[in-house]
Amino acid sequence: GKVDMLTPATQKETFTELLSETLKDSGDFDTIKSIQENINEIMDDSTSDNVFELDKTNAKAILADSGMDDDDIEYFEELYDEYIGENTQLYLNNVADTKKFQIETADVIIKTDPEHAMLIETMEINGRDCIIIPADGNIEVNGITVRTRKKRR
């Protein structure tokens, strides 16, 4: 049959919308981080001339490996044809964001290289959901080296 093609930007946008809709009620930070890490791992393992086709079966395998529960995977499967289409070809290099891992809250944006995403965790502290980033080594704020706490005199 005929294979429909979407532009790379449209592939990324559509796949992001599909994942967002699939996980709107159950998408926790660790699952999304794991999906991103698994996609990046596949991208790293692929040679530059080997383009990884992302069909429904491949996508489901990535989601299952990322810890997504069976109900969400089933819902993803249902939405896949609606969002992407049965005969539409996606490529992992078009939907993956291999250059950055970005977290946005109402007040803050945190960006890092995807290979450092594993350092970021979420935790409840005093009843509030928090994003935790280990502060080992040098810390800079706007180019100024700082400590995490004041040194006692």
Side-chain angles (χ1 to χ4, degrees):
K2 180 181 171 294
V3 174
D4 298 325
M5 288 302 295
L6 299 173
T7 65
T10 304
Q11 287 183 43
K12 181 171 181 39
E13 182 182 312
T14 304
F15 191 74
T16 299
E17 288 173 8
L18 171 61
L19 272 182
S20 295
E21 178 62 27
T22 301
L23 294 169
K24 72 178 178 202
D25 296 327
S26 62
D28 65 282
F29 179 80
D30 289 332
T31 301
I32 300 299
K33 183 173 76 167
S34 184
I35 291 168
Q36 184 79 35
E37 288 170 352
N38 287 333
I39 286 174
N40 288 338
E41 195 174 298
I42 293 168
M43 292 293 295
D44 288 346
D45 292 346
S46 298
T47 58
S48 58
D49 58 345
N50 181 15
V51 179
F52 190 87
E53 290 181 10
L54 187 66
D55 60 17
K56 192 189 317 185
T57 304
N58 295 344
K60 281 173 36 187
I62 291 169
L63 301 180
D65 289 347
S66 302
M68 188 184 285
D69 69 37
D70 292 342
D71 289 342
D72 286 335
I73 292 172
E74 198 174 300
Y75 188 46
F76 173 86
E77 210 173 351
E78 291 171 21
L79 293 174
Y80 188 93
D81 291 340
E82 177 186 329
Y83 275 78
I84 294 168
E86 206 173 319
N87 297 317
T88 304
Q89 193 64 62
L90 293 184
Y91 295 98
L92 198 58
N93 57 315
N94 292 336
V95 303
D97 206 334
T98 58
K99 302 280 189 260
K100 71 175 188 223
F101 184 82
Q102 181 171 309
I103 303 165
E104 291 184 43
T105 70
D107 302 315
V108 177
I109 297 174
I110 300 168
K111 295 179 187 176
T112 187
D113 291 328
E115 68 246 18
H116 297 113
M118 73 233 173
L119 298 173
I120 303 169
E121 299 178 55
T122 56
M123 185 180 293
E124 187 178 307
I125 300 173
N126 297 329
R128 296 180 69 192
D129 289 330
C130 298
I131 298 168
I132 309 296
I133 304 168
D136 302 328
N138 289 339
I139 302 169
E140 288 187 14
V141 176
N142 296 331
I144 301 168
T145 301
V146 297
R147 292 184 172 82
T148 56
R149 303 170 200 254
K150 281 189 176 183
K151 199 173 190 178
R152 298 186 186 258
R153 295 178 192 244

